[in-house]
Amino acid sequence: MYLIAKQPYVKVERIVRSIEQINIEHERTMYLYNEKIVTEHREFHIKDVMDMSYRIVGGKGGLLYLHTSNGVYSYTVKSSPNRFIEEFKNHIKA
């Protein structure tokens, strides 16, 4: 197994208290290997990932979607994941 690409993403934790809401951002990384895609808490076998897409949200960053055989998973990104998506598509073509 070898690393092909990696993509930073953010997990936002919202804490609601009686008079305030606090957002805590956890910086994480998604890894594309030749056999699987790995996030902080999930692993997707490469054959189970059918596609990836990206939607810009608010002009700064957006959502990276993994379309899998078990559903669609979204990840918040602060930078464009276009290179990561391109590497994935090139890998599954090969």
Side-chain angles (χ1 to χ4, degrees):
M1 183 169 64
Y2 58 90
L3 181 65
I4 297 171
K6 53 186 175 178
Q7 173 65 43
Y9 69 98
V10 177
K11 172 67 176 170
V12 178
E13 177 184 3
R14 290 184 174 83
I15 300 172
V16 180
R17 297 190 178 145
S18 61
I19 59 170
E20 67 181 337
Q21 175 178 308
I22 301 170
N23 293 332
I24 301 171
E25 290 187 354
H26 300 277
E27 300 284 335
R28 298 181 176 171
T29 304
M30 180 180 300
Y31 299 94
L32 171 62
Y33 294 99
N34 62 313
E35 297 176 358
K36 61 186 174 181
I37 295 173
V38 178
T39 67
E40 182 81 15
H41 296 288
R42 290 193 172 95
E43 288 188 8
F44 305 94
H45 196 281
I46 205 76
K47 68 178 177 67
D48 295 331
V49 181
M50 299 175 287
D51 196 14
M52 283 188 199
S53 60
Y54 172 59
R55 171 161 282 158
I56 297 171
V57 177
K60 182 181 177 185
L63 294 171
L64 170 62
Y65 296 100
L66 268 62
H67 305 268
T68 74
S69 57
N70 294 322
V72 178
Y73 295 84
S74 63
Y75 295 91
T76 303
V77 294
K78 289 186 173 183
S79 60
S80 171
N82 288 335
R83 183 178 173 276
F84 188 81
I85 294 170
E86 183 179 314
E87 291 288 345
F88 167 75
K89 291 184 178 185
N90 288 338
H91 177 67
I92 60 171
K93 285 182 187 176

